Coordinates of all heavy atoms in Angstrom, one line a residue:
Chain B
G234 N 18.5 20.4 4.7 CA 18.6 21.6 3.9 C 18.8 21.3 2.5 O 18.9 22.2 1.7
F235 N 18.8 20.0 2.0 CA 18.7 19.7 0.6 C 19.8 20.3 -0.2 O 19.8 20.2 -1.4 CB 17.4 20.4 0.1 CG 16.7 19.4 -0.8 CD1 16.3 18.2 -0.4 CD2 16.4 19.8 -2.1 CE1 15.6 17.4 -1.2 CE2 15.7 18.9 -3.0 CZ 15.3 17.7 -2.5
N236 N 20.9 20.8 0.4 CA 21.9 21.4 -0.4 C 23.3 21.1 0.1 O 24.2 21.7 -0.4 CB 21.7 22.9 -0.7 CG 21.7 23.6 0.7 OD1 21.9 23.0 1.7 ND2 21.5 24.9 0.6
Q237 N 23.4 20.3 1.1 CA 24.8 19.9 1.4 C 24.8 18.6 2.2 O 23.9 18.2 2.8 CB 25.5 21.0 2.1 CG 24.7 21.5 3.3 CD 25.5 22.2 4.3 OE1 25.7 21.7 5.4 NE2 26.1 23.3 3.9
V238 N 26.0 17.9 2.1 CA 26.1 16.6 2.7 C 26.0 16.6 4.2 O 25.3 15.8 4.8 CB 27.5 16.0 2.2 CG1 27.8 14.7 3.0 CG2 27.5 15.8 0.7
R239 N 26.6 17.6 4.8 CA 26.6 17.7 6.3 C 25.2 17.8 6.8 O 24.8 17.2 7.8 CB 27.3 18.9 6.8 CG 28.8 18.6 7.0 CD 29.5 19.8 7.7 NE 28.8 21.0 7.2 CZ 29.2 22.2 7.5 NH1 30.4 22.4 8.1 NH2 28.6 23.3 7.1
G240 N 24.4 18.5 6.1 CA 23.0 18.7 6.5 C 22.2 17.4 6.4 O 21.5 17.0 7.3
A241 N 22.5 16.6 5.4 CA 21.8 15.3 5.2 C 22.2 14.4 6.3 O 21.3 13.6 6.8 CB 22.2 14.7 3.9
I242 N 23.4 14.4 6.8 CA 23.9 13.5 7.8 C 23.1 13.9 9.1 O 22.5 13.1 9.8 CB 25.4 13.7 8.1 CG1 26.1 13.3 6.8 CG2 25.8 12.8 9.3 CD1 27.6 13.7 6.8
A243 N 23.1 15.2 9.4 CA 22.4 15.7 10.6 C 21.0 15.3 10.6 O 20.4 14.9 11.5 CB 22.6 17.2 10.8
G244 N 20.4 15.6 9.4 CA 18.9 15.3 9.2 C 18.6 13.9 9.4 O 17.7 13.5 10.1
G245 N 19.4 13.0 8.9 CA 19.2 11.5 9.0 C 19.3 11.1 10.5 O 18.4 10.4 11.0
L246 N 20.3 11.5 11.2 CA 20.5 11.2 12.6 C 19.3 11.7 13.4 O 18.7 11.0 14.2 CB 21.8 11.7 13.1 CG 23.0 11.0 12.5 CD1 24.3 11.7 13.0 CD2 23.1 9.5 12.8
L247 N 18.9 12.9 13.1 CA 17.8 13.6 13.8 C 16.5 12.8 13.6 O 15.8 12.5 14.6 CB 17.6 15.0 13.4 CG 16.7 15.9 14.2 CD1 17.3 16.1 15.6 CD2 16.5 17.2 13.5
V248 N 16.2 12.5 12.3 CA 15.0 11.8 12.0 C 15.0 10.4 12.8 O 13.9 10.0 13.3 CB 14.8 11.6 10.5 CG1 13.7 10.6 10.2 CG2 14.5 12.9 9.9
G249 N 16.1 9.7 12.7 CA 16.1 8.4 13.4 C 15.8 8.5 14.9 O 15.0 7.7 15.4
V250 N 16.5 9.4 15.5 CA 16.3 9.6 17.0 C 14.9 10.0 17.3 O 14.2 9.4 18.2 CB 17.3 10.6 17.6 CG1 17.0 10.9 19.0 CG2 18.7 10.0 17.4
I251 N 14.4 11.0 16.6 CA 13.1 11.5 16.8 C 12.0 10.5 16.6 O 11.1 10.3 17.4 CB 12.8 12.8 15.9 CG1 13.5 13.9 16.5 CG2 11.3 13.0 15.8 CD1 13.1 15.2 16.0
D252 N 12.2 9.6 15.6 CA 11.3 8.6 15.3 C 11.2 7.6 16.5 O 10.1 7.2 16.9 CB 11.7 7.8 14.0 CG 10.8 6.6 13.7 OD1 9.6 6.8 13.7 OD2 11.3 5.5 13.5
N253 N 12.3 7.2 17.0 CA 12.3 6.3 18.2 C 11.7 6.9 19.4 O 10.9 6.3 20.1 CB 13.8 5.9 18.4 CG 14.0 4.5 17.9 OD1 13.1 3.8 17.5 ND2 15.2 4.0 18.0

Side-chain angles (χ1 to χ4, degrees):
Chain B
F235 221 59
N236 58 0
Q237 50 160 247
V238 172
R239 272 189 328 194
I242 299 164
L246 294 174
L247 190 66
V248 168
V250 172
I251 284 195
D252 177 50
N253 256 351

